Amino acid sequence: MGFRSSMNYYYAAFLCITVLLPAALCYGGDYSRATYYGRPDFLGTPTGACGFGEYGRFVNDGRVTGVSRLYRGGSGCGACYRVRCTIPEDCSEEGTRVVVTDYGEGDKTDFILSQAAFESLARPYKAQHLFAYGVVGVEFKRVPCLYYRRFIFLVLPQSRYPAYLAIVPLYQPGTFDIIAIEIFQADRGEWRPMRRAYGTVFDITEAPLGVITLRYKSVDYGDPESWVQLNEVIPSDWKAGHAYEIEIPA
């Protein structure tokens, strides 16, 4: 980068931060539209397409969203986005962070937000204005999920010990998508692929006995695909409906 282009770059950054917009608004993101779905408790839905179940109602304090093109066949489940609406007199400068838990299509919208998430787009005392619009323009960008390098895997209630195992990665730290999961079969010394049943639900029949070691293939905004191994993720006496936590490698 030459001196002139360097100066232009830093001038643009300075302009964004100090003149044009507050730092919180310098998203550098994409533009779309957002609406909301009506639940009287303002929370998410326990029947979302990602397979989070009841957990999908409460993750991120209920600030969750269904998405259309960002769903990416289920690999977009668990992704975090910073979203702000674009009506200056009604929309907060910071916007809100939402987690993808569902699939949905609206009127040229990428986001169908829970009411809690939609309300958090607003300036103080302006939420009813946004609800009256029904659909608002938004700026959004993918951001890291704040899970401190930890995964929680939920063993779904339909799992049947020891033969059939269905899991959901509840926490997806960072900005990557999980596009595949494999499970290690120790007695054969080989990795076996798990099936993406739907959303972010992965399952396997004839699950191996003993402690479960997994690896997942991730892709992160144009970076090469890579495998990450998680040793001893799930105990040998796993139980359906239980969640198991592990720290991912640095």
Side-chain angles (χ1 to χ4, degrees):
M1 180 182 293
F3 176 78
R4 182 178 297 276
S5 57
S6 297
M7 291 299 294
N8 289 340
Y9 171 82
Y10 289 115
Y11 175 75
F14 176 80
L15 189 64
C16 176
I17 294 171
T18 63
V19 180
L20 296 180
L21 294 170
L25 295 186
C26 296
Y27 276 33
D30 297 313
Y31 290 88
S32 185
R33 284 153 51 95
T35 186
Y36 65 94
Y37 57 87
R39 281 183 58 94
D41 58 9
F42 268 44
L43 299 176
T45 172
T47 58
C50 289
F52 287 1
E54 188 69 13
Y55 174 83
R57 298 182 61 226
F58 301 103
V59 62
N60 199 40
D61 296 326
R63 294 190 300 274
V64 299
T65 186
V67 291
S68 51
R69 64 186 177 95
L70 300 173
Y71 183 71
R72 294 188 290 276
S75 65
C77 291
C80 293
Y81 291 89
R82 175 67 65 175
V83 181
R84 70 175 182 91
C85 57
T86 55
I87 306 169
E89 61 272 22
D90 294 324
C91 298
S92 73
E93 296 176 351
E94 296 81 11
T96 190
R97 182 190 302 266
V98 296
V99 179
V100 175
T101 61
D102 203 356
Y103 175 85
E105 295 184 3
D107 180 16
K108 299 179 181 178
T109 57
D110 278 305
F111 294 92
I112 302 179
L113 301 167
S114 65
Q115 290 193 43
F118 198 81
E119 180 182 54
S120 64
L121 296 175
R123 292 181 181 274
Y125 312 110
K126 295 289 187 175
Q128 291 307 312
H129 290 195
L130 296 191
F131 283 120
Y133 291 126
V135 178
V136 294
V138 294
E139 186 178 6
F140 69 94
K141 68 182 296 186
R142 180 79 180 266
V143 295
C145 294
L146 300 178
Y147 299 139
Y148 307 104
R149 305 198 65 81
R150 291 190 175 275
F151 259 124
I152 291 183
F153 287 90
L154 173 66
V155 176
L156 293 181
Q158 61 262 37
S159 299
R160 293 294 178 266
Y161 182 86
Y164 175 69
L165 176 63
I167 62 173
V168 171
L170 293 181
Y171 285 177
Q172 188 165 313
T175 57
F176 57 83
D177 289 352
I178 296 175
I179 59 176
I181 294 181
E182 294 184 345
I183 193 167
F184 189 65
Q185 184 87 38
D187 58 349
R188 301 180 189 174
E190 65 182 22
W191 291 96
R192 293 174 55 197
M194 300 189 77
R195 177 183 69 125
R196 184 189 291 274
Y198 65 94
T200 190
V201 175
F202 291 86
D203 67 1
I204 190 168
T205 57
E206 299 181 4
L209 299 175
V211 177
I212 302 295
T213 288
L214 302 173
R215 67 179 182 180
Y216 64 86
K217 182 186 284 188
S218 65
V219 60
D220 189 347
Y221 279 97
D223 290 341
E225 296 175 0
S226 61
W227 286 98
V228 176
Q229 183 170 323
L230 302 176
N231 295 319
E232 301 182 354
V233 179
I234 299 171
S236 58
D237 59 346
W238 56 263
K239 294 176 175 60
H242 283 226
Y244 301 97
E245 181 176 342
I246 188 171
E247 185 171 351
I248 64 174

